[in-house]
Amino acid sequence: MAKTVNRSVWAAPYAIFLLLFVALPLVMVLLYAFQDKSGSITFANFVKFFNTPEDVHTFLYSIEIAVITTVLCLVLGYPAAWIMSNSSLNRSSITVVLFILPMWINMLIRTLATVALFDFLRAPLGEGALIFGMVYNFLPFMIYPIYNTLNKMDKSYTEAAQDLGASPRHVFAKVVLPLSMPGVASGILMVFMPTISTFAVAELLTMNRIKLFGTTIQENINSGMWNYGAALALIMLLIIGITTVFSGGDKDIEENGGLI
Amino acid sequence: MAKDYIIDIQHLSKSFGDKKVLDDINFYIRRGEFITLLGPSGCGKTTLLRQIAGFIAPDEGKILLEGKDISGIPPYERPLNTVFQRYALFPHLDVYDNIAFGLKLQKVPPKEIEVRVKKMLKMVSMTDYEDRSVDSLSGGQQQRVAIARALVNYPKVLLLDEPLAALDLKMRKDMQLELKEIHRKMGITFIYVTHDQEEALTLSDTIVVMNEGKIQQIGTPMDIYNEPVNCFVADFIGESNILKGRMIRDRRVAFIKHEFDCVDEGFGEDVPVDVVVRPEDIYFTKDPAKCQFKATVNSCIFKGVHYEMWVDTDTGYELMIQDYDPYEVGTEVMLYIDPDDIQVMHKERTRNVLEATVVDSNHVSMLGAEWECEVPEDASAGDVFTAEIPFEKVDLLDHQEDGKLSGEVHFLLYKGDHYHLTILTDEGDRLWVDTNDIWDKGDLVGIDIPPEGIKLIRK
């Protein structure tokens, strides 16, 4: 028999993939962000950002939209997830599939359909349409991780709480809600991360009237401002990184049954 | 109505789908009693406990707590607390907050909560563990916290659902003693659910033996052990020799083809009975005058405190004997049994009795199949008869497809020279079978009955 192949060989394609499509682009973003056109090291790109009120404003506005979207998704998504996980209220798994179903359709197509819907209803496109579209697009990403944690939660906890004198309201507030926090954190990340960087959705739903930070980055890169664009992308990455830390970190979520 | 009944259960029934889990349960619990619901898994004991706790509503019947029906009251308003099988401690709270959970809901002042929680921690020997997260505790420690969390509310009744099942043997023994001590100190009524007969005998004031949704026997551990009312109880509690016998007259019974004096009366004369003799109640003797029967030792195993021996009697029966002194395999021994130690029980049945419908001049339909047998000449198709089938006339086959019917071995008893099996057919009917072949519980079998085994009697 031929000598056995070292098992780590199987990891090689993944390693190459990660290197080419994750690590290398990140390093390049980092390098470009701290270089000027001639290639020398500089902080000029960041100074430029803070000296361009329009870009700072777009940045803050993007965060605001992302926060509003995330909060709305949470407010709408938590009760939905709770109802779906509650076997006395929801006896079929079809409901779950229905909530996840929109994810089967391409986001751009869904957004175009939303535009058509607004036209049909003669509703104006703009900020309202933008938030509606974002919530519609990202709601499943909030529902699913919360549903997952609630569904996996040991029913004996709620029984124990009832047994100790907790009314249904107290059971929810003192046991179910705190124990579902990993799912909530996971959902917040899943919604906040894509909403802050999205641009196509915003362009379509506001007829290019409202600009989000993703669009700013895209415009700069399209017009050849690679270094400035990279700096902006890095700033956005930083914000996403901070949210990740605040939502409990990956480890905690993994351990407690969140989505990622 | 007696004042000292804290719980009175009347005609309680519950079905899940078609399956009757509890069937007309009636019993009462005295204040301060340690009562154990004992039975194999699936006997309905946990369902009964969950109904008392309020997690399952009964289909029929009442649960009275101090004379008041609590059937409609939700669990959080019942003055009862439960220790769950897998503890169910809240992982997001530390030990102190877990125990204080119930008191905080009752809006007990924080000062008093602290006093009571500390007192409970001391009672379960967990002082200084207040700030620990529950994940960092061992199984035994988690169990103590679970007990403290329930008892700190001073419930009228504490319900315990197999609380020691997840612990290893040594820890289980220690916790049994501690539980008994806690029960004595607190004076609260304990309802304990277990499938472990030894645990039940050790802990309880009263044992309720359950099987298949019905109460088999209620009594003190001594009563249950020494005077089992049927084969199920005798077999389930401790080791026993269960044998076919015949009551000759009052105080005289025959089994293993010998006659013995006993203390039982009122069975009638020449009545078939079942006899239970515990293995420690068969004595060896060197005195021929005392000897009631002879036997040959065929195996001898050291069990720690005693030796467990199997002997073949001179009449061809196998008996289990436990004694402190071993006898070598092959030795011929003289044995006797004290009249006091022979427990005589009514036979639950002496043959299978079924309903059969005539199909034609030599076939009947019963148990969902057609059988060849002798049909009386004056009977016509459609007539309904009672069919009697002796236990030993039912054949069991290795392959399900070889039989007219298929079924599963549901329960088995060794009766000294043969096995007595309860077979549950696929249609849900029961057949009782005597056989010399060895089967295990859960074996799938084919069932056949030869024509001469079916005797039709006009209704």
Side-chain angles (χ1 to χ4, degrees):
Chain A
M1 283 297 290
K3 73 171 183 180
T4 49
V5 181
N6 190 339
R7 257 193 290 176
S8 62
V9 168
W10 298 105
Y14 303 102
I16 293 167
F17 175 85
L18 288 175
L19 202 68
L20 279 180
F21 296 102
V22 181
L24 194 66
L26 271 177
V27 171
M28 282 171 69
V29 167
L30 207 63
L31 279 176
Y32 271 78
F34 289 100
Q35 282 176 349
D36 59 16
K37 272 219 156 84
S38 60
S40 48
I41 302 294
T42 173
F43 284 100
N45 297 321
F46 296 93
V47 176
K48 182 181 169 190
F49 169 70
F50 288 108
N51 286 330
T52 316
E54 197 205 327
D55 289 352
V56 174
H57 176 257
T58 313
F59 178 65
L60 293 176
Y61 183 71
S62 290
I63 293 180
E64 188 191 322
I65 291 290
V67 169
I68 291 172
T69 306
T70 310
V71 169
L72 280 176
C73 280
L74 184 61
V75 169
L76 293 172
Y78 197 104
W82 186 79
I83 290 167
M84 285 197 296
S85 69
N86 202 321
S87 54
S88 61
L89 295 173
N90 172 38
R91 286 172 192 281
S92 89
S93 51
I94 293 172
T95 337
V96 182
V97 175
L98 281 178
F99 268 102
I100 307 300
L101 202 63
M103 286 163 93
W104 295 6
I105 299 157
N106 180 281
M107 196 201 278
L108 278 178
I109 297 174
R110 267 185 292 157
T111 307
L112 285 169
T114 314
V115 173
L117 181 73
F118 270 71
D119 280 345
F120 177 74
L121 294 172
R122 298 187 190 289
L125 293 173
E127 197 182 67
L130 173 63
I131 290 172
F132 176 88
M134 298 267 249
V135 170
Y136 169 57
N137 267 322
F138 294 109
L139 190 58
F141 294 93
M142 181 63 85
I143 293 179
Y144 200 65
I146 298 177
Y147 166 74
N148 236 357
T149 14
L150 287 175
N151 207 28
K152 274 192 262 174
M153 194 182 296
D154 196 335
K155 298 284 174 291
S156 66
Y157 294 138
T158 44
E159 280 187 358
Q162 283 184 56
D163 188 76
L164 292 164
S167 62
R169 202 165 49 87
H170 279 132
V171 172
F172 181 78
K174 293 195 186 277
V175 178
V176 176
L177 191 61
L179 286 177
S180 65
M181 280 337 259
V184 171
S186 187
I188 288 175
L189 264 185
M190 296 289 289
V191 174
F192 188 78
M193 283 195 301
T195 44
I196 200 166
S197 58
T198 183
F199 60 92
V201 177
E203 285 169 15
L204 289 169
L205 283 171
T206 66
M207 317 257 289
N208 279 332
R209 262 174 296 178
I210 296 177
K211 205 160 90 175
L212 289 187
F213 201 54
T215 313
T216 312
I217 298 174
Q218 183 223 12
E219 280 171 0
N220 277 298
I221 291 177
N222 274 359
S223 54
M225 314 263 278
W226 286 84
N227 303 95
Y228 186 50
L232 296 183
L234 198 65
I235 290 168
M236 198 170 70
L237 264 179
L238 210 66
I239 293 295
I240 292 174
I242 290 168
T243 358
T244 314
V245 172
F246 271 98
S247 57
D250 291 339
K251 194 167 162 274
D252 193 40
I253 292 169
E254 268 167 36
E255 277 177 1
N256 293 294
L259 189 66
I260 50 170
Chain B
M1 156 141 194
K3 274 250 162 66
D4 67 340
Y5 295 177
I6 189 154
I7 284 187
D8 193 355
I9 289 171
Q10 301 176 349
H11 305 292
L12 206 64
S13 291
K14 178 79 194 172
S15 303
F16 290 135
D18 290 341
K19 196 170 183 292
K20 200 141 198 171
V21 198
L22 291 177
D23 190 0
D24 197 24
I25 299 287
N26 291 287
F27 71 102
Y28 58 84
I29 298 167
R30 288 194 201 86
R31 193 180 297 281
E33 196 171 20
F34 196 128
I35 192 164
T36 300
L37 308 178
L38 173 68
S41 58
C43 73
K45 58 192 190 300
T46 297
T47 307
L48 179 53
L49 191 82
R50 288 171 61 79
Q51 288 194 345
I52 298 173
F55 297 123
I56 304 177
D59 292 343
E60 279 167 54
K62 281 189 202 165
I63 300 169
L64 304 183
L65 176 73
E66 297 181 318
K68 282 192 292 273
D69 187 7
I70 55 166
S71 306
I73 298 177
Y76 53 91
E77 282 171 11
R78 298 189 184 195
L80 316 170
N81 285 114
T82 308
V83 177
F84 293 85
Q85 187 169 6
R86 283 183 298 120
Y87 324 136
L89 297 177
F90 304 123
H92 61 295
L93 301 176
D94 63 15
V95 169
Y96 183 94
D97 285 331
N98 260 285
I99 298 174
F101 191 89
L103 297 177
K104 281 183 183 165
L105 285 169
Q106 291 168 38
K107 305 258 183 308
V108 175
K111 273 262 160 57
E112 197 191 326
I113 293 183
E114 197 179 333
V115 174
R116 277 166 74 172
V117 170
K118 291 217 158 127
K119 202 174 124 199
M120 274 305 144
L121 280 167
K122 197 169 163 218
M123 162 110 83
V124 297
S125 337
M126 291 282 288
T127 317
D128 296 338
Y129 279 87
E130 285 140 77
D131 302 328
R132 289 279 288 272
S133 86
V134 293
D135 290 336
S136 69
L137 303 179
S138 71
Q141 289 170 331
Q142 289 192 29
Q143 189 53 270
R144 285 160 202 270
V145 176
I147 292 166
R149 183 178 70 174
L151 281 175
V152 77
N153 305 296
Y154 300 149
K156 292 202 163 138
V157 178
L158 183 71
L159 311 174
L160 301 107
D161 184 7
E162 307 219 12
L164 308 184
L167 304 180
D168 62 47
L169 185 65
K170 183 83 177 68
M171 181 103 82
R172 205 153 64 218
K173 299 263 178 203
D174 293 346
M175 280 303 288
Q176 283 174 9
L177 294 178
E178 268 185 66
L179 267 179
K180 220 172 151 74
E181 183 62 20
I182 291 170
H183 175 249
R184 196 186 56 76
K185 273 194 207 152
M186 301 279 294
I188 289 175
T189 311
F190 277 33
I191 306 179
Y192 193 94
V193 161
T194 184
H195 63 269
D196 182 339
Q197 44 100 9
E198 201 192 323
E199 198 164 282
L201 293 173
T202 312
L203 290 171
S204 324
D205 299 322
T206 305
I207 297 177
V208 179
V209 185
M210 293 179 66
N211 190 34
E212 306 198 330
K214 292 199 179 97
I215 292 179
Q216 304 291 322
Q217 189 170 3
I218 302 178
T220 63
M222 293 271 273
D223 287 344
I224 302 264
Y225 188 83
N226 291 331
E227 281 155 41
V229 294
N230 60 32
C231 291
F232 172 81
V233 178
D235 180 61
F236 193 71
I237 315 282
E239 303 280 1
S240 47
N241 295 294
I242 301 172
L243 304 155
K244 246 202 259 193
R246 201 161 42 80
M247 204 66 188
I248 296 164
R249 55 178 182 272
D250 279 353
R251 296 168 172 270
R252 189 77 176 163
V253 64
F255 57 94
I256 60 167
K257 297 190 183 131
H258 287 278
E259 285 188 21
F260 298 86
D261 284 331
C262 65
V263 294
D264 297 86
E265 296 177 348
F267 282 81
E269 284 183 17
D270 202 25
V271 175
V273 290
D274 279 318
V275 174
V276 177
V277 183
R278 297 288 180 185
E280 67 274 21
D281 292 336
I282 303 175
Y283 299 104
F284 293 94
T285 179
K286 296 253 176 323
D287 177 4
K290 264 186 148 181
C291 166
Q292 289 171 323
F293 60 100
K294 286 181 184 163
T296 312
V297 178
N298 82 19
S299 82
C300 178
I301 299 162
F302 181 55
K303 286 278 188 177
V305 179
H306 60 262
Y307 290 86
E308 181 181 296
M309 284 162 274
W310 283 93
V311 302
D312 295 322
T313 70
D314 49 1
T315 45
Y317 288 83
E318 235 186 327
L319 297 177
M320 183 203 269
I321 305 179
Q322 291 172 355
D323 204 288
Y324 297 122
D325 300 314
Y327 287 81
E328 238 173 83
V329 174
T331 324
E332 182 149 302
V333 289
M334 292 192 279
L335 300 164
Y336 73 95
I337 307 170
D338 269 346
D340 266 350
D341 293 333
I342 296 170
Q343 164 69 5
V344 179
M345 307 180 300
H346 286 285
K347 252 193 163 1
E348 284 154 273
R349 61 190 68 75
T350 50
R351 59 199 176 278
N352 292 294
V353 178
L354 300 156
E355 193 169 85
T357 312
V358 174
V359 177
D360 57 31
S361 60
N362 51 5
H363 286 90
V364 292
S365 142
M366 61 179 185
L367 297 166
E370 252 180 50
W371 309 83
E372 195 187 328
C373 72
E374 199 175 306
V375 177
E377 284 187 8
D378 58 337
S380 50
D383 285 2
V384 179
F385 282 82
T386 298
E388 292 191 347
I389 305 157
F391 297 142
E392 66 277 7
K393 289 293 186 190
V394 182
D395 291 332
L396 298 181
L397 310 160
D398 284 326
H399 298 287
Q400 279 185 291
E401 53 276 18
D402 292 347
K404 271 238 171 68
L405 279 178
S406 57
E408 186 190 332
V409 177
H410 189 62
F411 182 65
L412 56 122
L413 276 177
Y414 183 56
K415 289 202 161 179
D417 65 339
H418 66 277
Y419 289 89
H420 185 64
L421 311 183
T422 308
I423 308 290
L424 198 61
T425 69
D426 289 349
E427 309 275 311
D429 297 306
R430 267 154 223 266
L431 272 177
W432 287 272
V433 182
D434 280 349
T435 172
N436 290 318
D437 300 330
I438 295 171
W439 298 95
D440 280 320
K441 194 178 163 161
D443 279 352
L444 300 175
V445 293
I447 302 164
D448 208 2
I449 306 170
E452 69 274 16
I454 304 172
K455 192 179 156 205
L456 296 183
I457 297 162
R458 205 172 269 286
K459 279 200 165 177

